[in-house]
Every structure is written in structure tokens, then in C-alpha cells.
Amino acid sequence: HVQLVESGGGSVQPGGSLRLSCAASGYTYNRNCMAWFRQAPGKEREGVASIGNGGTTRYADSVKGRITISKGNALNTLYLQMNSLKPEDTAMYYCAAVFGVYGCSSDWALLSKYPYWGQGTQVTVS
């Protein structure tokens, strides 16, 4: 079965950078939509960024210009490069994936779209 494992979280000062990774294993398709979500204490989980199998990316307005989503050469690794981090970026960050679809669409930030989730990695900016 599909497994998603995040890594790379940690504590950083405001203005700092972190790079999150998500390794996908199991039964995966080349056709997919993969995304990063985050959930701060007391808040709902929200979409951060998505990337389709064709490489098209989408971002939440709150992170545009500071955060970049990408895939590794092996296509089963997802990255989130976060720069100019702010205290409001503090959250648990989750990798999510849906396979067998032709990339992401305008509803990429809907949680129900993704059947596969990682366990999360904590990012703290203070």
C-alpha cells in the first residue's frame, strides 16, 4: 500500500529556511497530484502548495513568493522549500497524494481529494 513519510521539520528563527521532504512508496502512478498541507494548533488543516505530474504548481496566497514545491528526479519524492519563514508558518506539515489523476486541479486544496497522507513533520518558527 502507499506510504508517505515526511522529514525535514524543525525549529528556525523568523527569516530562516527549511526544506521538507516527502518520500512516497508502495503502489504509485506517474499520473498524480501531490500536495503539502499544514495545520496550526486550534486551526483547520489548509493547503500550502500542490504539484501535478506535469509539473504545474499552485500555491496558497499566504506563501506565494516564499515557498516552492518540487519533485525529485525519481518522481516519488516531494519537496517543500520554505524561505523567509514567519511565526505564522508554525504548524504540522503534511504530505498528501492522489494517484491515477491527470495532475492537480483548481480544487487542489480540498482535503477530501487526497486518500493518502503522511504522519506530519513539525515546523516551528520563533
Side-chain angles (χ1 to χ4, degrees):
H1 64 284
V2 175
Q3 284 190 311
L4 303 176
V5 180
E6 302 97 333
S7 61
S11 295
V12 64
Q13 293 183 342
S17 298
L18 281 175
R19 189 192 197 202
L20 306 184
S21 298
C22 173
S25 61
Y27 190 43
T28 59
Y29 290 100
N30 287 334
R31 292 181 289 135
N32 59 71
C33 173
M34 300 187 74
W36 287 97
F37 286 77
R38 66 185 181 186
Q39 187 167 19
K43 295 187 176 181
E44 294 186 352
R45 193 171 298 190
E46 63 176 2
V48 177
S50 70
I51 184 168
N53 50 279
T56 299
T57 58
R58 291 180 168 88
Y59 295 93
D61 288 342
S62 59
V63 304
K64 283 181 180 177
R66 300 188 298 116
I67 288 179
T68 303
I69 188 171
S70 63
K71 287 184 177 178
N73 291 334
L75 300 181
N76 61 349
T77 304
L78 186 68
Y79 300 107
L80 192 70
Q81 178 66 45
M82 304 190 294
N83 301 323
S84 303
L85 283 163
K86 304 175 182 180
E88 50 263 44
D89 294 317
T90 295
M92 185 72 78
Y93 282 71
Y94 298 90
C95 172
V98 54
F99 299 101
V101 296
Y102 289 99
C104 304
S105 58
S106 58
D107 64 349
W108 66 271
L110 288 178
L111 276 67
S112 58
K113 181 180 178 71
Y114 302 91
Y116 302 108
W117 292 83
Q119 82 289 347
T121 185
Q122 178 68 38
V123 172
T124 302
V125 185
S126 65

